[in-house]
Amino acid sequence: MTRIRLATHDTFQSLSVRNFRLFFGGQLISQIGNWLTLVAQTLLVLKLTDSGYALGGLAAAQFGPVLLFGAFAGLVADRSDKRRLLIIVQTLAMLQSFCLAALAFTGHPPLLAIYAVALFGGVATAFDNPARRSFVVEMVPEESINNAVSLNSALMTGARVFGPALAGLLVTTVGFGWAFLLDAISYLAVIAALYRMNPAELRQAPVTPKGKGQVREGLRYARSVPELWVPLLMMAIIGTLAYNFQTVLPLFTTRDLHGTDVTFTWLMSVVSVGSLLGALATARRKTINVRIVSRNAAIFGAAMALLAFTPNQPSAFAVGFLVGLGSITFMTAATAITQLAADPSMRGRILALQAIVFLGSTPVGGPIVGAISETFGARYAIALGALATMAASGFGYFTIRRSRTAVPTHDAAPIPFQADVPGELALLGQVITPKAS
């Protein structure tokens, strides 16, 4: 029992911080609601069009603003009080869900109107992502950063377990409009939680003063630190061709597996269960390096390859669990090393850059994956994602290995999570002790 208590304490240590508890509780409710909108929006477009091209267009509308405004949004996060910025952004996101509900209640909304509202939500996502993810670091002590990042990932994936299943239930019983309306109401929880926080207990990073060339400065900084640019390039490849579940899985379940909309929502929930367990498992990890990120990418790629060859729904559900496990272990590792290796004054811009290469790659990858699914079948799109992920894994492993060979002291040991040393130490090839969503 003592061992179990200690393990539980290690896994959930960040929840001992009141501000983080408020954040966690509010986000849990809001993220479940967010998945109602994501899934219902996908199913609504599929119902209206039955087209992979249309689903790819929806993905482009949802995440295109991240590609366009992500770098500027990261700079805004570095210049702002992140709690106040999040209150504004979450309020705008709530308005988007109310607009979707109004459209859905009309019975047969125009596709372009759905795209327009999705585009508005994408702007909110662009500013929310770097602010929310860098805000996690400010709520907990330095020694609890990895735990908070992992629990935040667990929160997101835990919401994804219940959100898609609830969305499927609502869509098939009361209709799309109620799913969007419940999501809009759920934003009140996170807004209230942000208002109730004690700003004095936050560990705020220095606010970046206004100046010229600060976005380019963030790009140069990321390129100068191997522990930043290697995972970022890996994430760009994987984000473009593998993390397009909202586009490929509806087509895979309804066409290749001969299922229904409910089959899609259940598969998403199974994937999310794997993600949740993977996030909780990584919450206790104390070290990280690029080799670990590369290994996790290889696991994710192997699971995607298995999914591409599953012959029926039961086997797809079993492999879907592994896909979720592999996807979150890669994402958590890539996010953790990005947050820990970045200098605090650059963290917002670096996390925004991560959001650009991950979420912002969706407007590129979504239409590609949608077109492949429409032309050849969803299995081919999944297989392409598997190949891209394995290639990114090999790139990360061999690139950092060459770097270590060129500079013998570099990456000699994993990055410990306990301390926070400026990321510039990586420039000297030393061991450093220094997003996701």
Side-chain angles (χ1 to χ4, degrees), residues 1 21 115 117 163 184 277 298 339:
M1 291 299 294
R21 282 200 308 274
Y115 282 174
V117 177
L277 294 180
Q339 289 183 317

Side-chain angles (χ1 to χ4, degrees), residues 56 59-67 244 356 358-368:
Q62 288 172 324
F63 301 109
V66 178
L67 180 63
N244 286 284
I356 290 172
F358 179 59
L359 296 177
S361 61
T362 302
V364 179
I368 292 173

Side-chain angles (χ1 to χ4, degrees), residues 76-412:
V76 171
D78 282 338
R79 288 176 175 176
S80 305
D81 181 318
K82 297 178 183 61
R83 185 179 70 96
R84 293 179 180 176
L85 178 60
L86 284 172
I87 291 173
I88 296 171
V89 171
Q90 294 291 308
T91 301
L92 293 176
M94 179 175 62
L95 294 177
Q96 178 224 8
S97 295
F98 276 124
C99 289
L100 283 172
L103 285 172
F105 281 128
T106 65
H108 196 84
L111 183 63
L112 288 179
I114 296 175
Y115 282 174
V117 177
L119 196 66
F120 177 80
V123 174
T125 299
F127 286 88
D128 171 79
N129 197 281
R132 174 171 45 79
R133 292 167 67 199
S134 56
F135 187 53
V136 170
V137 178
E138 297 184 0
M139 286 183 283
V140 297
E142 293 177 359
E143 63 271 13
S144 298
I145 288 177
N146 179 56
N147 180 259
V149 170
S150 296
L151 285 181
N152 190 51
S153 295
L155 180 154
M156 300 298 174
T157 53
R160 195 167 65 180
V161 172
F162 301 103
L166 182 57
L169 177 63
L170 291 172
V171 166
T172 56
T173 55
V174 296
F176 293 98
W178 287 102
F180 297 132
L181 184 60
L182 284 179
D183 176 35
I185 295 172
S186 73
Y187 279 102
L188 296 175
V190 69
I191 294 171
L194 290 167
Y195 268 114
R196 292 183 60 198
M197 286 183 182
N198 183 356
E201 295 178 0
L202 297 174
R203 201 167 50 86
Q204 295 183 345
V207 175
T208 300
K210 292 184 179 181
K212 294 183 178 180
Q214 291 176 321
V215 172
R216 291 192 299 273
E217 181 185 2
L219 294 173
R220 286 194 298 268
Y221 173 76
R223 183 61 184 87
S224 69
V225 183
E227 282 76 12
L228 293 177
W229 71 263
V230 173
L232 284 171
L233 282 179
M234 291 175 62
M235 190 167 286
I237 297 169
I238 295 173
T240 300
L241 296 174
Y243 273 103
N244 286 284
F245 296 155
Q246 294 297 113
T247 300
V248 70
L249 289 188
L251 300 171
F252 179 60
T253 53
T254 57
R255 297 181 181 180
D256 295 87
L257 300 181
H258 309 291
T260 64
D261 292 348
V262 176
T263 309
F264 161 62
T265 60
W266 278 107
L267 180 59
M268 284 294 295
S269 294
V270 170
V271 171
S272 302
V273 170
S275 298
L276 176 61
L277 294 180
L280 291 175
T282 57
R284 299 183 64 194
R285 175 173 290 280
K286 300 298 183 184
T287 58
I288 191 69
N289 61 20
V290 177
R291 285 177 296 175
I292 294 173
V293 179
S294 300
R295 181 200 64 193
N296 292 351
I299 294 171
F300 178 35
M304 289 282 287
L306 286 175
L307 184 64
F309 290 100
T310 52
N312 50 46
Q313 293 180 24
S315 59
F317 287 148
V319 175
F321 176 86
L322 299 178
V323 169
L325 186 70
S327 67
I328 200 63
T329 53
F330 165 72
M331 175 56 63
T332 301
T335 300
I337 199 171
T338 300
Q339 289 183 317
L340 293 168
D343 184 271
S345 65
M346 291 282 187
R347 189 172 286 135
R349 275 167 283 182
I350 298 303
L351 288 174
L353 184 59
Q354 187 191 45
I356 290 172
V357 300
F358 179 59
L359 296 177
S361 61
T362 302
V364 179
I368 292 173
V369 169
I372 292 173
S373 299
E374 188 69 29
T375 305
F376 302 104
R379 293 186 188 276
Y380 288 88
I382 295 173
L384 176 62
L387 289 174
T389 303
M390 297 298 290
S393 172
F395 163 77
Y397 178 79
F398 289 109
T399 299
I400 209 68
R401 185 178 180 182
R402 287 198 303 270
S403 176
R404 187 173 65 250
T405 302
V407 186
T409 58
H410 177 73
D411 201 34

